[in-house]
Amino acid sequence: MNRSAQQKSSAHVTTRRLLDMKQNGEKISMLTAYDYTMARILDRAGLDVILVGDSASNVFSGHSTTLPITIEEMIYHAKAVVKGVHDESGRAMVVVDMPFMSYQISGDEALRNAGKIMKEHGCDALKLEGGMIIADTVKRITDVGIPVMGHLGLMPQSIYKYGSYRVRAQEEREAEQLLEDARILEESGAFAIVLEKIPSALAAEATRSLTIPTIGIGAGVACDGQVLVINDILGLNREFHPRFVRQYADLNTVIEGAVRQYVEDVRQTSFPSPDESY
Ligand code: KIV
């Protein structure tokens, strides 16, 4: 589907549609993608939202945190994903993570970078980590017409502050702060909030108290939607098996097996056959 066809498609998932889904009790499905081919598959499969996550820093580039990824790298991934969705049914909403330090320095800089990311690849929305501390920035970005998805709980861009990836907001003070941050994000114009690795009861309370949808990752079933990293559900990473991931395939084994067979076939000269030659 080309750009103009996609613009006309009434099936394309919008912020309004996500709000309706919450109100109607329809769950929102979201996964990450970082390239054209995967985006086409996810869109074809009927996924509601594709997140071009800064987890690309981990699963695509091999860094140990999300901090090193740059705006240019996020734009590169986002362009490929947006093109994949446009060339398929064009239904999925594409949300792009603003990378570490692209929105924290000042409101002006955040606005400039948000505009740059939106203009250069034509995605639908941006995602920022943080609560009260980024509320003014969220307001400035949404005021110019750019939809913002919030992200609370475990915020991987702050991993050096936490010192671990353990469950967040288990103590009352942090839980109360999270509820307050969620309320402020909604008030500042956010259209949805990702809740990462927090107790299910707290996520349920946040979901009840907000009019905008919550999308959980390790936050229980009461959230209005769920998000996971595509590499994790496909079993592409042998070393990473947190409790909140459900693995739907074992592509690591499938791919390794296919490549072993290919290596063997080349060595044995059983590939290419006459039928595979000119
Ligand atoms: O970058 C990412 O993949 C994310 C999800 C874990 C929500 O932010």
Side-chain angles (χ1 to χ4, degrees), residues 32 34 51 53-55 97 127 129 151 194 196 217 227 229:
T32 65
Y34 316 102
L51 172 66
D54 58 0
S55 50
D97 264 334
K127 178 162 82 58
E129 295 181 9
H151 185 148
V194 166
E196 180 163 353
I217 172 165
V227 57
V229 169

Side-chain angles (χ1 to χ4, degrees), residues 29-272:
S29 56
M30 173 160 138
L31 286 168
T32 65
Y34 316 102
D35 66 75
Y36 173 83
T37 304
M38 190 62 77
R40 289 192 70 175
I41 297 171
L42 300 192
D43 186 47
R44 201 183 311 148
L47 189 78
D48 297 313
V49 185
I50 298 181
L51 172 66
V52 185
D54 58 0
S55 50
S57 178
N58 308 104
V59 299
F60 185 87
S61 302
H63 297 298
S64 60
T65 72
T66 58
L67 275 67
I69 201 159
T70 63
I71 293 193
E72 284 66 34
E73 287 167 333
M74 288 304 297
I75 289 173
Y76 172 81
H77 289 293
K79 272 185 179 162
V81 168
V82 168
K83 180 146 180 34
V85 170
H86 289 173
D87 284 356
E88 208 47 56
S89 78
R91 182 182 172 279
M93 167 189 270
V94 179
V95 179
V96 179
D97 264 334
M98 287 194 76
F100 179 60
M101 294 317 283
S102 67
Y103 58 95
Q104 290 94 339
I105 291 169
S106 71
D108 284 349
E109 201 168 318
L111 196 55
R112 198 172 304 113
N113 286 330
K116 181 178 161 81
I117 299 174
M118 288 295 286
K119 269 169 112 82
E120 287 197 26
H121 54 59
C123 67
D124 297 289
L126 302 176
K127 178 162 82 58
L128 278 65
E129 295 181 9
M132 191 159 27
I133 196 129
I134 60 155
D136 289 345
T137 299
V138 171
K139 182 158 174 21
R140 283 194 70 182
I141 296 174
T142 54
D143 277 354
V144 300
I146 300 173
V148 170
M149 180 180 277
H151 185 148
L152 296 172
L154 179 72
M155 294 176 278
Q157 292 179 9
S158 302
I159 191 58
Y160 289 115
K161 183 174 92 179
Y162 306 140
S164 93
Y165 284 95
R166 72 175 176 82
V167 179
R168 303 300 312 176
Q170 299 191 86
E171 302 81 29
E172 204 176 319
R173 229 179 64 191
E174 195 182 338
E176 274 167 14
Q177 183 64 55
L178 185 139
L179 292 172
E180 178 64 358
D181 283 340
R183 191 190 62 73
I184 290 170
L185 283 177
E186 173 167 300
E187 207 175 87
S188 306
F191 71 92
I193 302 178
V194 166
L195 298 175
E196 180 163 353
K197 228 173 165 185
I198 61 169
S200 305
L202 178 61
E205 193 177 343
T207 302
R208 271 194 306 275
S209 69
L210 296 170
T211 56
I212 57 172
T214 59
I215 306 196
I217 172 165
V221 77
C223 294
D224 298 303
Q226 298 293 329
V227 57
L228 285 173
V229 169
I230 187 71
N231 298 51
D232 297 340
I233 75 158
L234 297 181
L236 281 165
N237 185 348
R238 254 197 196 137
E239 292 79 39
F240 189 64
H241 290 292
R243 173 170 160 172
F244 62 83
V245 169
R246 183 175 293 178
Q247 194 183 312
Y248 289 85
D250 182 8
L251 291 197
N252 199 306
T253 305
V254 171
I255 294 170
E256 194 178 315
V259 174
R260 279 186 194 284
Q261 189 60 56
Y262 171 74
V263 169
E264 187 61 17
D265 290 353
V266 169
R267 287 187 183 148
Q268 301 299 323
T269 66
S270 75
F271 176 82

